[in-house]
Each structure stands twice: as C-alpha cells, then as structure tokens.
Amino acid sequence: MARLLITGGAGFIGSHTCVVLLQAGHELVVIDNFHNSCPEACRRVERLTGRTLVLEQADVRDGPRLNSVFDRHGRFDGVIHFAGLKAVGESVKEPLLYWHVNVCGSRTLLQAMAAHGCRTLVFSSSATLYGNPDSNPIAETAPIRPVNPYGQSKAAVERMSRDVAESQPGCKGWRLACLRYFNPVGAHPSGEIGEAPQGIPDNLFPFISQVAMGERSSLDVFGGDWPTPDGSGVRDYIHVMDLAAGHCVTLEHLLDGQPQLLTLNLGSGCGTSVLQALAAFERVVGRSIPHRIVARRPGDVAMTVADPGRAAAVLGWQTERTLAEMCADGWHWQQRNPLGFG
Ligand code: UFG
C-alpha cells in the first residue's frame, strides 16, 4: 500500500486511474482545480470502489497551496500528475496559457516534491509529441517533433524531468516515468464515470457518441484522402481502463525499483481508421450514425500507432480491452449521463 498524491484526479483519465489505485489498496489524496472536471467524479469513484479518498481544490501552479497539501497530509510515497490542459486547438490560440498550466504547473509540483522529500512521479505525457512520425509503429526512440503548443508543453515537461533525473549521479534519488498516451477512449464499464467534454467535443469518440444520442446531427470525418487503407485517419485507441491499469503498474514498478527515468508508450499497437471506429460504434448502437467526409483538419496527421513493446518488456503491461468494448463502455456512459456529471 502506498500513500499517493493525484493531481487532476477528478478528470477523465485521473478518475479512472483512482478507481484502479483504490482497488489495488493505495491511499489517495486528490487535488484538482475543477477547471475541466467536477468533484462528483471523485464521489462516484468512492461509490464504485467502496473506499474513500481525500479531495481538495488546488491548482498545481499555486506553490504555497501545494506545499500546504504536502505539509498537512504527511509523507507521500509518490505522485501521479494528470493536471493540465489538453485541447490542441485551444493551445494554438492560447500558447502562454498552455506553457503556464502545463509547464509552470509541473515545475511548481516538482519543486514542492523536492522540498518534501518525495521523489517518485508518474507524468501524463502524450503521443502528440511525436508530431508527424517518419514511420509506424512509433517507438520511444522516435524523434520528438511536436506540431502545436500543447505538444511542445508535454515535450518541455519531459525535458525538465530528464534534467531533474540527471541533476546528480544516481538520478539524485528520483524515480520518474513519462507515459506517452495514444488515444484514450471508453469509460468505466459501470457507466458511472467517463469523459465529459465541455462544449463541442474536439475528439472523435465523444463526438460520435453525441451524434448517436441525437445531440448533434452528423459526424464530420476529417479527410477521406489520407494515405491510409480507407483514406480516413488512423489512430491507436486505448481503453481508459487499460490506461489506468498502466499507471498503477508503472507507479508500483517505480516504487519497487532503483532511481530511474522511464519513458513509455501506452497504446495497443493496433491502428483503427475513423471509418472503422465509426462502424464499430454503429454495431454497438445497432443503427447507422450520420456522417459525411469533409476536408482534412489542419494539424492532423495520417497515422499514429504505438509500438508498445517497451511497456510490455518493462512492466509486463499490455492492453486487454477491444475496440468493441471501448465503444460499448463509452456508449453506456453517454446514455446514462447525457449531461456528463452535471
Ligand atoms: N476526427 C474526425 N472527426 C471529428 C474528430 C476527429 O474525423 O469530429 C478524426 C481526426 O481527424 C483523427 C481521429 O479522428 O484522424 C482522431 O482525432 P481525435 O481528435 O480524437 O484525436 P487526435 O489523434 O487528434 O489527438 C488526440 C488528443 C491529443 C493527444 C493525441 C495523442 O486530442 O490530446 O490524441 O495521440 F495528444
């Protein structure tokens, strides 16, 4: 059992990870500023697991507040850092905001950790930092070439983590992991927690769900002329519960191991096109979902698929849930919670 601080634990990936961590017996203090999340997610995590967690409103940019969290809750064995902004389009319009929240927030957190003798951190990175890859599947050794400020901010925090880890021989006692997520989708199979985007969803699965619910009239498929088998964009979708399990095993691996910096892809290794994802969703819903093929979305790439071999070798972790389960669980959540947590 470990005592853990979870930043952004009320958000989509954070809340699912809290379920897995509580079920594994860990004790959690969650901080969140509720910018894109709400406390109800954590209440539902408690109901689902039959366990309690401590939840506090706090912003990772607020150093005195972070220090007070560390002071009041005693020693943490480790931190999982989800808190941050994640909308690619918004990051292009508001780059300074992304650098402030994602980069300065991470720096403030690392500083508070160092001041309190906590040197184990799992960081939410992203496959977005590979940009337009030279080839697929993408290994962790591929060049880092982010094409938007969101990706730049993730690359900067990875760089900062490396500097911290290398700041003295022997990693100065730091145990750090940067987890590069591919495309997380789906929801907890109970339908109690899931993704609750505000406004018009940017991402494919929430958009398909809302069209299937009749909240939106049609899905725009961005591009039918990509150099892919059916012309639509290919991604590596990963069930959020598999991703959550990946965090739990990473954290336990770090706590059991030597000081180190670990960089891992978390993906399935399988590519799915937009049209294949849509067809899978239609099979779950039992009817066709209106869509039309439109121009490519600026900034998109044809294909990103993970090489998940390192995570399998180091952690013994691999994805278990299928595309059909991603669709079924996401649809279940959407039907039970048409207004999200509100
Ligand atoms: N797409 C559509 N229509 C939509 C939305 C998306 O056709 O309405 C297509 C996109 O063009 C792309 C695929 O669906 O081919 C997936 O798009 P998403 O917006 O769901 O996801 P992205 O791959 O663009 O990016 C996501 C997250 C990033 C993260 C990245 C990791 O938004 O934050 O995955 O690979 F970094």
Side-chain angles (χ1 to χ4, degrees):
M1 188 276 288
R3 285 179 46 73
L4 305 173
L5 176 65
I6 313 295
T7 78
F12 174 45
I13 303 169
S15 58
H16 289 78
T17 303
C18 286
V19 169
V20 174
L21 293 169
L22 287 172
Q23 285 173 337
H26 301 302
E27 276 182 21
L28 308 185
V29 173
V30 171
I31 58 170
D32 203 300
N33 70 358
F34 305 121
H35 170 75
N36 190 26
S37 61
C38 58
E40 173 63 14
C42 289
R43 302 283 81 92
R44 294 192 188 186
V45 166
E46 290 182 318
R47 278 215 304 271
L48 275 173
T49 58
R51 295 206 48 212
T52 56
L53 52 76
V54 176
L55 176 61
E56 287 196 17
Q57 183 160 12
D59 191 303
V60 283
R61 291 167 293 181
D62 184 343
R65 181 95 175 109
L66 278 187
N67 283 326
S68 138
V69 168
F70 277 89
D71 289 339
R72 281 181 293 109
H73 292 289
R75 197 178 172 84
F76 290 113
D77 298 305
V79 177
I80 305 185
H81 178 33
F82 294 104
L85 297 174
K86 60 168 188 175
V88 172
E90 182 187 53
S91 80
V92 176
K93 292 184 198 124
E94 301 269 7
L96 294 178
L97 180 66
Y98 273 67
W99 279 82
H100 193 208
V101 175
N102 293 358
V103 182
C104 298
S106 300
R107 188 197 67 100
T108 307
L109 176 66
L110 281 162
Q111 211 163 26
M113 289 176 65
H116 291 83
C118 176
R119 291 190 168 75
T120 299
L121 175 72
V122 177
F123 169 62
S124 282
S125 188
S126 171
T128 200
L129 49 68
Y130 295 120
N132 198 352
D134 295 331
S135 61
N136 282 282
I138 309 169
E140 290 85 351
T141 48
I144 303 302
R145 289 188 302 232
V147 294
N148 53 61
Y150 166 67
Q152 295 286 4
S153 73
K154 292 292 181 187
V157 178
E158 284 207 7
R159 178 69 245 191
M160 182 161 57
S161 303
R162 182 141 44 100
D163 288 347
V164 167
E166 291 172 353
S167 54
Q168 236 171 261
C171 292
K172 206 181 172 184
W174 286 94
R175 292 168 170 81
L176 302 169
C178 296
L179 301 182
R180 297 176 179 168
Y181 314 154
F182 280 68
N183 288 56
V185 299
H188 190 275
S190 64
E192 285 289 305
I193 54 172
E195 189 170 13
Q198 291 171 349
I200 302 172
D202 288 322
N203 296 121
L204 180 66
F205 273 69
F207 205 105
I208 294 178
S209 301
Q210 294 193 4
V211 176
M213 287 291 286
E215 287 168 32
R216 305 193 184 278
S217 57
S218 171
L219 169 74
D220 283 347
V221 175
F222 297 137
D225 57 353
W226 291 103
T228 59
D230 66 18
S232 66
V234 170
R235 296 289 182 275
D236 183 336
Y237 296 99
I238 170 172
H239 195 296
V240 66
M241 291 305 295
D242 280 334
L243 191 56
H247 285 79
C248 188
V249 291
T250 302
L251 195 275
E252 290 170 352
H253 174 85
L254 288 182
L255 290 174
D256 287 345
Q258 295 300 311
Q260 62 185 298
L261 171 63
L262 197 55
T263 301
L264 296 174
N265 286 338
L266 293 187
S268 71
C270 297
T272 301
S273 74
V274 175
L275 294 176
Q276 287 172 326
L278 182 65
F281 217 97
E282 287 176 333
R283 281 194 290 277
V284 164
V285 175
R287 57 190 150 77
S288 64
I289 295 172
H291 68 279
R292 59 184 184 145
I293 293 175
V294 301
R296 294 178 181 187
R297 180 171 65 176
D300 268 351
V301 302
M303 181 183 290
T304 52
V305 177
D307 174 348
R310 188 187 284 178
V314 174
L315 305 174
W317 172 92
Q318 60 183 23
T319 59
E320 290 175 359
R321 293 156 179 92
T322 62
L323 181 64
E325 287 171 281
M326 299 178 210
C327 297
D329 291 337
W331 179 230
H332 186 210
W333 152 257
Q334 181 73 38
Q335 284 179 295
R336 283 176 64 119
N337 305 273
L339 302 176
F341 292 103

